[in-house]
Amino acid sequence: AALVIAEVALALVLLVSATLLIRTFVGLRSVNPGIDARNVLTFQTSLAGGRYSATAKVDDLTRRALRSIETVPGVESAAASVMLPVEGGIDLPFVIPNKPPAKGNDYNGDEQWRSITPRYFATFKVPVLRGRPFDDRDATNSAKVLIINEAMAKKYWKDENPVGQIIVIGKGIGPEFADPPREIVGVVGNVKENGLGEGDTAVMYLPQSQVPEGMTALANSVIPLSWIVRTSMDPLTMRASIERQLQSVDNTLTAARVRTMERVLYQNVARQNFNMLLLTIFAAIALLLASIGIYGLMAYSVEQRTQEIGIRLALGADSADMRRMIVGQGMKLAGAGVAIGLAAAYGLTRLLKTLLFGVNANDPATFAGVAIILSLVALAACYIPARRASAVAPVEALRCQ
């Protein structure tokens, strides 16, 4: 009996955990990443080693390579960026002239930045909400500009139009990162830069041609350059043609981590998917063991009490009464297991809090639903031996040794 109670309690804990992770996975799959990932090929190239440590050299490489890639039949647009969406980024402090700095700091904020080429937003189909995207006029020697996302606009210019405002990035962190004042020329939609399970992150986008030299040298030494190519067909079928065009510009560059953007998004939730699968398997096994345990215990109990059952039936006990008695005994054990399991799950599921998205670790609907399902399974496991016992002829039962 103690073993059955323990099995039921363990099954409930595992089923609650698995259900929470399943709901998390479903929730993550329904999150809007802020980009259109269909028919997009991504790959990376390392620019480390000093050859592309200057902004002008990186700008020249990306302009020539992207023009060459866009000549491939089936390629709609191409772009490059220091990072891909959902894979995190680098923070930089900034100052907004005529605005008081944050409390205890010399700057107004510290947010993520991306260096991108002009057709980045078009390639990912990120909407431009205000102003304009980058274009060829945003060259090295032209006026310094910046684009921010909607989250940053709401955070720092809540009741104002940020387009036309001035911002100074990287002030005070070193002369190699010194950057002149930039004008915000556009506001774009939010992209899940830090992962599908994260909230909207404030992001600053800089044109690749205008990145400060110190930032270019630092980024290229530790972060590969990411390339994004939108195609009109399955992007993987065009991989070879795209790589040929890249190497026609610089044959020392090798495409690495070639993936579709849909694959990048899937890999972002791979950990949650693995945890869900693992716990679901354990929960199914625990549920099976619990149901077998309850059934085995009740069947054994019925066999041991066959003569007692025969006497009760011979003295006028109703078959329905016998079924209720046996089922009631089994459900008392199941009920004890469910109660213990609910208490244990309430405490243990808090450990899953960091893995959950869109559902509370102590979600009442999940707890109640799993308890009901487990109780129904236990009821079925009790009913089968109870029905068999109530069908035994009293004479046969009295003869049983």
Side-chain angles (χ1 to χ4, degrees):
L3 179 62
V4 169
I5 291 174
E7 286 177 341
V8 172
L10 178 61
L12 189 138
V13 171
L14 291 172
L15 280 170
V16 167
S17 302
T19 303
L20 291 174
L21 288 175
I22 289 172
R23 292 183 63 182
T24 291
F25 185 73
V26 172
L28 288 172
R29 293 296 297 269
S30 64
V31 168
N32 178 12
I35 61 172
D36 184 352
R38 295 170 296 179
N39 290 343
V40 175
L41 184 72
T42 73
F43 57 92
Q44 295 178 334
T45 55
S46 174
L47 301 184
R51 185 177 177 187
Y52 290 106
S53 59
T55 298
K57 292 183 177 180
V58 176
D59 182 47
D60 178 65
L61 168 68
T62 55
R63 286 178 184 274
R64 291 189 296 120
L66 293 174
R67 279 198 300 266
S68 182
I69 290 172
E70 288 181 339
T71 62
V72 177
V75 171
E76 295 181 353
S77 64
S81 171
V82 72
M83 294 287 287
L84 287 175
V86 309
E87 294 195 334
I90 304 172
D91 291 359
L92 277 178
F94 60 90
V95 173
I96 304 173
N98 303 321
K99 278 185 178 285
K103 187 176 181 180
N105 294 313
D106 296 328
Y107 46 84
N108 295 89
D110 189 352
E111 305 294 353
Q112 289 194 17
W113 72 278
R114 296 282 191 283
S115 62
I116 61 173
T117 57
R119 291 176 63 78
Y120 178 86
F121 298 123
T123 302
F124 270 137
K125 295 188 177 180
V126 178
V128 178
L129 306 178
R130 296 180 186 177
R132 65 172 179 86
F134 296 138
D135 54 35
D136 290 336
R137 83 184 90 163
D138 302 313
T140 304
N141 299 321
S142 61
K144 299 299 184 284
V145 294
L146 179 78
I147 290 176
I148 63 174
N149 69 347
E150 188 177 15
M152 186 165 176
K154 289 181 178 179
K155 187 173 181 178
Y156 296 98
W157 291 275
K158 194 171 185 179
D159 301 318
E160 304 174 67
N161 182 2
V163 176
Q165 301 284 349
I166 302 299
I167 187 171
V168 182
I169 299 175
K171 187 175 182 179
I173 61 173
E176 65 273 24
F177 299 104
D179 193 44
R182 292 177 179 270
E183 180 185 354
I184 298 174
V185 296
V187 178
V188 297
N190 294 325
V191 176
K192 297 294 183 182
E193 301 287 3
N194 289 335
L196 295 177
E198 302 296 328
D200 292 330
T201 305
V203 182
M204 304 174 284
Y205 298 95
L206 280 66
Q208 176 64 67
S209 58
Q210 296 183 357
V211 177
E213 297 295 338
M215 292 165 62
T216 295
L218 176 62
N220 289 348
S221 65
V222 294
I223 305 173
L225 184 66
S226 296
W227 303 79
I228 308 106
V229 183
R230 175 169 293 280
T231 66
S232 59
M233 60 189 76
D234 181 359
L236 290 176
T237 62
M238 305 180 64
R239 171 180 176 174
S241 300
I242 292 170
E243 288 185 16
R244 279 196 299 269
Q245 294 302 317
L246 175 67
Q247 293 191 331
S248 69
V249 175
D250 185 344
N251 58 14
T252 65
L253 295 180
T254 303
R257 298 193 73 192
V258 181
R259 300 168 293 171
T260 64
M261 194 60 210
E262 289 177 313
R263 181 66 180 172
V264 174
L265 296 181
Y266 177 80
Q267 288 176 340
N268 185 251
V269 297
R271 184 181 68 162
Q272 288 88 343
N273 187 28
F274 175 77
N275 291 334
M276 177 198 71
L277 179 63
L278 195 64
L279 268 178
T280 300
I281 293 173
F282 285 157
I285 293 173
L287 180 62
L288 179 63
L289 290 176
S291 58
I292 291 174
I294 294 173
Y295 172 80
L297 179 69
M298 298 313 300
Y300 178 73
S301 175
V302 168
E303 183 180 351
Q304 292 295 99
R305 300 171 63 185
T306 301
Q307 284 189 329
E308 175 198 339
I309 292 170
I311 292 171
R312 289 176 180 272
L313 291 172
L315 293 177
D318 187 73
S319 297
D321 292 333
M322 297 306 303
R323 286 196 295 271
R324 281 194 293 271
M325 180 187 72
I326 296 171
V327 169
Q329 292 172 348
M331 290 306 293
K332 285 181 182 179
L333 298 177
V338 168
I340 294 172
L342 285 173
Y346 184 82
L348 293 174
T349 51
R350 294 183 181 182
L351 301 176
L352 296 175
K353 190 173 182 180
T354 57
L355 302 177
L356 301 180
F357 173 78
V359 61
N360 191 284
N362 300 129
D363 179 58
T366 299
F367 277 65
V370 169
I372 291 171
I373 291 172
L374 194 55
S375 298
L376 291 175
V377 170
L379 180 62
C382 293
Y383 182 76
I384 296 173
R387 183 178 180 182
R388 185 182 302 144
S390 64
V392 174
V395 176
E396 295 296 326
L398 292 172
R399 290 175 181 172
C400 181
Q401 297 297 324

